[in-house]
Amino acid sequence: IWYDQSGNGNDISQTSSDADQPQIVDNGAVITDGGNPAVKFNASEFLDVSSGEIDSQAQFLVVNVTDTASGSRAIMGRKSDTEAFFLFFFGDDENYKCNCTPNTFGDSIQEGSTVIFLIDRDGSNNTKMFEDNTQTGVTKTNVTGDFSFQRLGARNGVNDPFIGTMSEILMFSGDHSADRETITLELNAYYGAF
């Protein structure tokens, strides 16, 4: 179980099969990325939201994507539909689908190192993608509704499985665009991503 530290009970876990569980320990040692504890996904593992789903407007993730060459990699999405997902495409496009509206940012995440990656939507529904405190891709306008996810490490069943590590996920409802840089710099002070 990956426990929700906010007190809202939005834990995520995998109870269906040991084979479907991402790793936190390998040969008796805690898995790390950049010296910090991390959860490792190897293309067939995923975690589900125990409370049903989590809705948010801003998502901050500390990730290390180790493979997009062999396929698209979904950080998160829905269990059985394609209504919402956060996906790194192998074709150099990053996709964020919110409230059934797809948004392609047209840039590629850096692979093979720890990255602070986030999607930020302001009060005017302008949505931006950032990697290590720098906007990547284009600003999308008129994105409405919450991003609602149920599964971490895959989407729509086990499609587009994530390969890499995740160290931290922060999700916020409401407009946090004014806090974006502060949150990113605090994450970087701990994880040393850039």
Side-chain angles (χ1 to χ4, degrees), residues 12 22 51 55 95 144 173 190:
I12 50 178
S51 61
D55 297 327
N95 282 273
T144 60
S173 58
Y190 184 79

Side-chain angles (χ1 to χ4, degrees), residues 86-88 93-96 105-109 117-120 127-131 134-140 180:
F86 196 172
L87 177 72
F88 301 122
D93 287 327
E94 312 312 353
N95 282 273
Y96 173 78
F105 288 96
D107 208 345
S108 183
I109 191 168
F117 190 79
L118 66 112
I119 297 289
D120 181 43
T127 303
K128 300 176 182 178
M129 180 179 79
F130 291 85
E131 181 179 326
T134 300
Q135 183 176 348
T136 59
V138 297
T139 299
K140 298 294 181 173
R180 179 198 53 79

Side-chain angles (χ1 to χ4, degrees), residues 26-98:
D26 187 21
N27 292 323
V30 172
I31 292 173
T32 61
D33 183 21
N36 296 299
V39 178
K40 183 177 181 181
F41 293 80
N42 286 313
S44 63
E45 301 94 1
F46 58 88
L47 296 168
D48 288 336
V49 176
S50 58
S51 61
E53 63 187 30
I54 299 173
D55 297 327
S56 64
Q57 189 169 325
Q59 302 86 34
F60 294 74
L61 302 106
V62 180
V63 299
N64 184 339
V65 181
T66 57
D67 175 24
T68 59
S70 61
S72 300
R73 302 294 170 218
I75 293 239
M76 59 183 67
R78 308 281 293 174
K79 290 180 186 177
S80 61
D81 62 49
T82 60
E83 179 181 304
F85 57 79
F86 196 172
L87 177 72
F88 301 122
F89 259 135
F90 65 92
D92 200 29
D93 287 327
E94 312 312 353
N95 282 273
Y96 173 78
K97 189 173 186 181
C98 178

